[in-house]
Amino acid sequence: MADDSTHSPATRLVGLGRPARRPGAPVGPPVELSSTFVADGRANYGRSGNATWTAFEDVLGALEGGRALAFASGMAAISAALSLTPQGGTVVLPEHVYNGSSSLMAAQEEAGRLRTLRVDPTDTAAVVAALDGADVLWMESPTNPMLETADLPAILSAARAKGVLSIVDNTFNTPLLAQPLSLGADVVVHSVTKFLAGHSDVLLGAAVTANDELYEQLSTHRVMYGAIPGPHETWLALRGMRTLHVRLERSCENAAELALRLAGHPQVADLRYPGFGAIIALEPAGGREAAEAVERRVQLWLPATSLGGVESLLERRRRHAGEPATVPDALLRLSVGIEHVEDLWRDLDQALRS
């Protein structure tokens, strides 16, 4: 269908990225499996373009308010966005961010590629002050895994006023809960693997920008570094996005109800929930041993990494060596899926109590 911005995101998710309407045309786009193309057309080689990528990118770009580029993984998209940092430049970022982003920046800092400046994202004045002399602002809101929230409109406005390139990882929110480009961000990145694809069966990433120059830089990076997605993976992600609205709605409803019940649970020492989204973090009473016991005792929840799938997952984040010491040793991150909330509650409650 033609893109109509007056339609709701739910409608656009279903209708965008489809072939032109004509008698006998397929309803959905095919998987384009070709490494090369006849000369003088829209693409000449599989590393530079693919119709299946385009269909996916049209949908995500429309929802985020920019032009999207699909990448081989979330980390590939993050690497491409981080490549926009000038040599030796300063990146301002929250103390807690996605482990992969943090590890990549640490490695590049050690190699002299850039320097990092960590901030408390909830302290808007401190973040704005840290932007003086910086080159890039890297934000998550809420942060992973501590679920801290930032005043993105104020911070992104300050970054633009100071000439600082701003990049926002919007994986937790998806464009259904937040559109950082409309708030002033220059680039948005996604681990499409998570909520967008939604079924824990594909690795894919994306970067989105409304700036043509940045788009060309990101596109060149994708081609030159070979960070391209497979057509079949991209098709799976597009198919998954068709149901993003209903999946996310159910997951968010479940998370809100679970957070309400967990807030008064006698075996929960601390609860983190920003009031929206499908991610919860908690610390069981009893510390690390109790957290590990919960992982062993759940029967419906899956003790596994990642998030954003239809199934509910939980894991103790400090089991990963790259998590900073400021993340509590007993912190469990919960990715709430679409199962019946009463079943999720019974399983989590028995694991906490036992």
Side-chain angles (χ1 to χ4, degrees):
M1 78 174 188
D3 186 15
D4 187 342
S5 59
T6 64
H7 289 153
S8 73
T11 300
R12 300 175 86 194
L13 274 167
V14 173
L16 291 174
R18 294 188 181 276
R21 289 189 182 186
R22 63 178 185 274
V27 171
V31 183
E32 185 172 81
L33 297 173
S34 185
S35 62
T36 192
F37 302 89
V38 177
D40 302 322
R42 57 174 174 78
N44 59 19
Y45 190 60
R47 186 157 43 87
S48 59
N50 181 283
T52 311
W53 301 355
T54 301
F56 168 82
E57 291 165 348
D58 286 348
V59 177
L60 181 57
L63 290 174
E64 284 285 13
R67 298 169 69 190
L69 287 160
F71 286 85
S73 66
M75 279 305 302
I78 288 166
S79 298
L82 195 60
S83 75
L84 300 173
T85 308
Q87 177 64 38
T90 297
V91 180
V92 175
L93 73 156
E95 179 64 34
H96 305 109
V97 293
Y98 166 54
N99 188 298
S101 300
S102 182
S103 298
L104 176 61
M105 290 186 213
Q108 294 199 0
E109 185 167 27
E110 185 175 353
R113 165 75 178 85
L114 51 79
R115 66 180 292 266
T116 60
L117 180 58
R118 301 272 184 165
V119 293
D120 176 357
T122 66
D123 188 341
T124 303
V127 177
V128 171
L131 295 175
D132 290 335
D135 299 281
V136 172
L137 168 69
W138 189 282
M139 290 298 294
E140 294 177 0
S141 183
T143 60
N144 184 4
M146 297 292 280
L147 301 183
E148 301 136 325
T149 56
D151 185 348
L152 281 184
I155 292 171
L156 294 173
S157 177
R160 179 146 295 189
K162 293 171 185 262
V164 177
L165 180 77
S166 57
I167 302 169
V168 178
D169 187 331
N170 202 32
T171 298
F172 273 19
N173 292 322
T174 82
L176 298 188
L177 298 183
Q179 301 87 39
L181 294 181
S182 70
L183 303 178
D186 294 302
V187 178
V188 166
V189 295
H190 285 276
S191 174
V192 179
T193 303
K194 311 303 194 296
F195 288 104
L196 296 182
H199 293 79
S200 302
D201 56 6
V202 61
L203 288 177
L204 205 78
V208 192
T209 182
N211 181 299
D212 289 341
E213 182 179 349
L214 293 176
Y215 177 89
E216 292 303 325
Q217 289 178 259
L218 292 166
S219 180
T220 298
H221 179 98
R222 179 175 71 174
V223 172
M224 297 303 293
Y225 285 83
I228 61 171
H232 187 246
E233 289 85 348
T234 311
W235 182 86
L236 283 172
L238 176 58
R239 185 175 69 165
M241 283 183 67
R242 302 298 188 196
T243 60
L244 173 62
H245 184 270
V246 290
R247 288 187 288 102
L248 189 63
E249 184 178 77
R250 175 62 172 267
S251 290
C252 289
E253 288 176 355
N254 282 351
E257 179 61 28
L258 292 175
L260 182 66
R261 299 184 189 188
L262 288 167
H265 199 287
Q267 296 303 318
V268 174
D270 186 57
L271 178 72
R272 293 172 178 265
Y273 175 64
F276 61 92
I279 307 296
I280 301 171
L282 65 85
E283 295 175 57
R288 173 176 173 171
E289 288 186 3
E292 291 175 338
V294 169
E295 287 183 306
R296 292 193 302 271
R297 290 168 179 168
V298 287
Q299 298 171 13
L300 178 59
W301 292 77
L302 292 169
T305 196
S306 198
L307 54 97
V310 292
E311 62 284 311
S312 293
L313 309 176
L314 59 76
E315 70 167 343
R316 188 180 69 86
R317 286 301 300 172
R318 284 284 296 282
R319 63 189 286 267
H320 299 286
E323 286 291 355
T326 48
V327 173
D329 206 28
L331 185 126
L332 291 170
R333 186 187 68 191
L334 282 60
S335 173
V336 183
I338 67 172
E339 303 94 337
H340 196 289
V341 68
E342 295 299 338
D343 295 329
L344 291 173
W345 172 250
R346 279 193 297 271
D347 187 35
L348 192 57
D349 178 52
Q350 66 81 22
L352 286 164
R353 291 182 184 278
S354 62

